[in-house]
Amino acid sequence: MTIDQQTETDQVLAGAELDLDRVLAFAGQIAQNHAIASNGVLTYLGDRLGLWRTLASVGPVTSTELAERSGLAERYVREWVSAQAAAGYVTYDAATQRFTLPAEHAAVLADDDSPAALVGAFEITAGVWAGIDRLAHAYTTGEGVGWHEHDDRLFSGVERFFRPLYASSLVDAWIPAVDGLTDRLTSGARVLDVGCGLGSATLLMAEAFPGSTFLGVDNHPESIRRATAAAQRAGATDRVAFADAAADTYEGAYDVICMFDALHDMGDPLGALRHARTALSGDGVLLVVEPAAADRLEDNLHPLGLSWYAASATMCVPGSLSQEGGAALGAQAGAARLLELFREAGFGTARVAATTQFNLVIEARG
């Protein structure tokens, strides 16, 4: 803030009649949010150092026992686990001085394969904080921040955050919402996953539909390297491949093209949809999954909307602005704007096939 801006702010506050109760209530909200944000650092450390997994594998423990089990310094562990008790993440028995991670909390913090797993979100936050200076520069200049310019923790964190959602929804809910898609994948189809990232969704589909073949493309070489390694570990290289390609440069014809939480990140989403339309076989289908959003800002002002807007402001919009076109669609574009893009791209039909708490599932043809 400049001196002139500070002076203007002081003048406005001096002339304002403040509601003291409202000031105090908001200060309390900020203090609470600061405490949560501060513990976010500790939540990430607990994940990185294996403390959540250790707590999940034992019964009630003292800080000394937890430190011994985890191979960490007791004095640090004591403060860490006390903070988690204050946050309500673990319980504390004053009589025995032991801490317990409830099984329900372990499903969220200690098990990446749980449908409720969310600890990867804190790895995302760590990655964003690591690049905060670059983001500040982008906000000042209007420049973008390419995906490849972020801290590496962002890549693994995003994969960990989305994979449980894909595992619980993709095969059992999203694909069945598209007319005839389950049968088509079962009988055998050529499938393309555009913006595949580390390949989680591609590999989940390949496992569920072994009669189909899959290609995942992404313009981030490191993601493609990791996705290829994941396919090798899964023993799926006979029907799954990954390649470095942008959303408007890949080649070939496909029966099914998918874009999972990727369209709004693209510099030219309209161009990506047009390219997908030309790459679809005559009776092919495009499946696009985007974050859930209403069409009006005022209808997105809730905790989930906050999460999506925060991600959009730190990752999605900067990423789009770094690419040619720089459309910066944002993670909360809403169904009306998205369907308008499909129409502009020339699709004969486009509809919201399903709406869930977290996602919009869009089906487009022709």
Side-chain angles (χ1 to χ4, degrees), residues 96-135:
T96 63
Q97 297 186 334
R98 280 177 161 77
F99 301 86
T100 302
L101 180 66
E104 295 81 2
H105 296 193
V108 178
L109 293 170
D111 182 4
D112 274 356
D113 293 325
S114 165
L118 279 175
V119 75
F122 294 92
E123 189 171 5
I124 294 174
T125 303
V128 170
W129 269 115
I132 198 68
D133 291 338
R134 191 183 296 273
L135 269 175

Side-chain angles (χ1 to χ4, degrees), residues 165-177 182 201 204-209:
L165 179 61
Y166 294 163
S168 63
S169 302
L170 176 53
V171 173
D172 294 333
W174 297 346
I175 288 174
T182 299
L204 284 167
M205 290 189 292
E207 180 181 5
F209 303 104

